[in-house]
Amino acid sequence: PEQMFEYIKQIDPDVYPKLFQESLEADQLFMIVDILNKFYIPNRLPVYNELYYLTKVKRFNMAVMFKTERQQLAISQLVEYAAESADDKVGIIGLIKAYNIMDLKKYKLKDIG
């Protein structure tokens, strides 16, 4: 996982759509989500751009449909973390919608917007 963290950290998030093109699978998406949770949050690294540009990959909507409850919680934690330092609340709301986070109160995101 640490090598994957170093690899992902080197990739500029705005190239995700070109990098993945139409091949983003659910397991790839959630591997990235896990790396962001395990390494970005503890190291206080920003995650907004990573989350945002993943939503721009063509098969993102299909991949996010297959999330488990644990993966939903991991995504919600990332969005909540991103919201802590975000000036762009509209962008955070866009992430909430894109990642299909249903219960904002459950994930302490109710104050956004």
Side-chain angles (χ1 to χ4, degrees), residues 17 21-24 54-62:
Q21 296 178 8
E22 294 184 30
S23 64
L24 181 66
L54 282 170
T55 70
K56 300 304 176 191
V57 177
K58 289 185 180 178
R59 290 183 48 99
F60 170 81
N61 290 334
M62 185 68 95

Side-chain angles (χ1 to χ4, degrees), residues 50 66 81 96 98 100:
E50 285 75 2
F66 295 102
Y81 170 71
I96 290 168
N100 201 21

